[in-house]
Amino acid sequence: MAMQLVTAEQTVLAVPPAELTPLPLIQLGSVLDPGSVIHCFNLWSTQFHLPNPRIYARSTQTSKMALFHTFLVLTLVGFTVSAPPVDSAAYDLENYDVDSDTWDLNTYGETYDYDDLDEEIVVGTLAPPPVTQPPAIVPPPDYAEEGTLPPHPTKSPAPSTLDFRAPGLFGPDTGLGLPSCLLCVCVSGSVYCDDLELTQIPPLPKDTTHFYARFNKITEVKAKDFINLNQLQRIDLSGNQISRVDEDAFRSLSQLQDLFWADNNIQALPELPARLKHIDVRNNQLRSAGMHPEAFKEMKELQFLYLSNNKLDYIPVPLPETLRVLHLQNNNIQSINQDTFCNSHDMSYIRKALEDIRLDGNPVDINLYAQAFVCLPRLPVGTPV
């Protein structure tokens, strides 16, 4: 078979042996001398035992490009032929260690049963499991059907009270399952029962000196609430709903000094102990008709009297000489007597202790009663009408 390399200037015909396959035309630049290419071709033919082909030049002028193509083809063929020969001894198939029993093709198919492949596979919907009914329960012959017994009549529990029952380590029992000093807080003679939603005063230990039950829902003060409390000095029931007080609720409290009843619904004052120093009945419904005549006359130690924001029609007289503060603002006082603070029979009389008088918020013009304040060290505060 022949391969023809053709350029524009020259055509070289190479006739290689029959076993060589033709190669395509490759165009490159001219870099070699034509004589050198032919010389190299002859040397390689002799070195690689190639048949000596015939080269014919069919042009008057030798093309360097054609000779370079021929040299490149011969170079590729030379590398191919010069590959080292294969040593057949390295791959001796007769001595190759192969266990013929392992590759016995005659018995290989016997290990698998191909008959199963002939079965037809049918694809369908999976049927649900059968539903089995539980066996019927058969009662024994001596079975007797149980019936519902009628409810036993029960008595409704008695309402819990705070009535005194018996003394104990933590004070008197309150009737609620807790002694007073567990229901409240007891500290060195002081009992604190603030903001517990109490509706009545609980029993107190006999050694109670100060009692605080502010911001509860107490509506009444009974005579038995403070019985036998001979050491009680202060009672603070501010912020409750007290509207009724027994007349003798405080009669036996000989040591009582401070009484705080602010922010309640009190309309009348009971008989009060003579040793009181501080009375606070602000923001109530107290009326002049609900007070004893000369209610404060015998209180030789009274210093603070707060009666503001009530419904008083006049100033309660006589007032003790020890009084320092008198607040009567926001009442219904319409007149002032000349002897309310002073002594009209003694023009030299001076009330030194009374320094704070509030009469503002009343329908009275204090400027019309100048003679009523001549004995005071300081004029009262009032609102002119």
Side-chain angles (χ1 to χ4, degrees):
M1 183 178 291
M3 178 183 66
Q4 188 174 6
L5 304 177
V6 182
T7 64
E9 299 177 355
Q10 180 182 7
T11 301
V12 178
L13 178 63
V15 183
E19 64 272 18
L20 296 179
T21 58
L23 295 176
L25 179 65
I26 302 175
Q27 293 184 0
L28 297 173
S30 57
V31 294
L32 298 177
D33 179 70
S36 300
V37 172
I38 296 175
H39 179 68
C40 291
F41 175 79
N42 295 328
L43 291 178
W44 284 356
S45 298
T46 304
Q47 181 179 358
F48 300 117
H49 306 286
L50 295 176
N52 188 13
R54 296 184 303 271
I55 300 177
Y56 300 94
R58 293 184 298 182
S59 66
T60 59
Q61 187 178 2
T62 303
S63 176
K64 294 181 181 181
M65 181 61 69
L67 293 177
F68 178 77
H69 289 169
T70 304
F71 174 74
L72 181 60
V73 170
L74 295 178
T75 303
L76 295 176
V77 172
F79 279 114
T80 302
V81 178
S82 62
V86 178
D87 188 4
S88 60
Y91 301 96
D92 188 2
L93 297 179
E94 295 179 358
N95 299 327
Y96 191 73
D97 188 9
V98 176
D99 190 358
S100 59
D101 296 338
T102 306
W103 302 96
D104 190 357
L105 299 179
N106 296 327
T107 61
Y108 180 73
E110 297 178 359
T111 60
Y112 187 84
D113 188 4
Y114 291 93
D115 295 339
D116 296 341
L117 298 178
D118 297 336
E119 297 181 0
E120 182 179 1
I121 300 175
V122 179
V123 179
T125 304
L126 182 63
V131 179
T132 58
Q133 298 293 336
I137 300 176
V138 179
D142 56 347
Y143 174 77
E145 185 177 358
E146 296 182 359
T148 303
L149 298 178
H152 294 284
T154 57
K155 296 182 180 180
S156 58
S160 300
T161 63
L162 294 173
D163 295 338
F164 174 82
R165 289 189 177 181
L169 179 62
F170 297 100
D173 189 356
T174 61
L176 296 178
L178 291 175
S180 296
C181 291
L182 291 182
L183 176 66
C184 305
V185 178
C186 301
V187 180
S188 300
S190 298
V191 180
Y192 299 89
C193 301
D194 296 336
D195 200 8
L196 295 177
E197 297 189 358
L198 299 177
T199 57
Q200 53 185 315
I201 297 174
L204 301 176
K206 291 184 178 182
D207 59 348
T208 301
T209 58
H210 296 74
F211 173 59
Y212 301 89
R214 297 165 291 192
F215 314 113
N216 284 285
K217 298 180 180 179
I218 301 173
T219 59
E220 183 180 4
V221 179
K222 302 176 181 179
K224 63 178 180 180
D225 290 339
F226 301 107
I227 192 171
N228 297 325
L229 297 177
N230 300 324
Q231 302 181 35
L232 192 59
Q233 301 176 16
R234 175 178 293 181
I235 297 175
D236 193 345
L237 297 173
S238 302
N240 280 275
Q241 303 172 12
I242 301 173
S243 59
R244 183 179 180 277
V245 183
D246 286 353
E247 181 62 28
D248 54 351
F250 307 104
R251 183 175 296 172
S252 62
L253 302 179
S254 58
Q255 303 296 323
L256 188 63
Q257 299 179 8
D258 303 322
L259 181 60
F260 298 92
W261 278 350
D263 303 306
N264 280 279
N265 298 316
I266 298 173
Q267 300 181 10
L269 291 180
E271 182 180 351
L272 299 176
R275 295 194 61 179
L276 282 174
K277 296 181 178 180
H278 194 146
I279 299 175
D280 188 353
V281 200
R282 295 174 294 173
N283 302 321
N284 278 274
Q285 304 296 322
L286 185 61
R287 299 175 181 272
S288 296
M291 299 177 62
H292 287 267
E294 301 182 349
F296 308 107
K297 181 180 180 179
E298 300 299 328
M299 297 182 183
K300 305 301 183 180
E301 300 181 14
L302 184 62
Q303 300 181 24
F304 305 93
L305 181 59
Y306 297 95
L307 300 173
S308 59
N309 296 291
N310 281 282
K311 297 182 179 180
L312 298 176
D313 298 322
Y314 55 85
I315 300 174
V317 292
L319 297 172
E321 295 289 333
T322 57
L323 191 63
R324 298 172 54 189
V325 176
L326 175 63
H327 284 188
L328 292 166
Q329 65 268 32
N330 300 321
N331 277 279
N332 193 34
I333 299 174
Q334 302 179 13
S335 63
I336 302 175
N337 191 283
Q338 189 174 359
D339 292 331
T340 300
F341 304 106
C342 300
N343 186 355
S344 59
H345 302 286
D346 187 0
M347 300 303 296
S348 61
Y349 172 77
I350 297 177
R351 184 183 286 268
K352 298 180 180 180
L354 190 55
E355 297 180 350
D356 186 5
I357 301 176
R358 295 284 302 274
L359 292 172
D360 48 308
N362 287 276
V364 60
D365 189 354
I366 62 174
N367 295 326
L368 301 177
Y369 304 94
Q371 295 297 322
F373 313 122
V374 293
C375 64
L376 299 177
R378 185 174 300 175
L379 292 176
V381 177
T383 303
V385 177

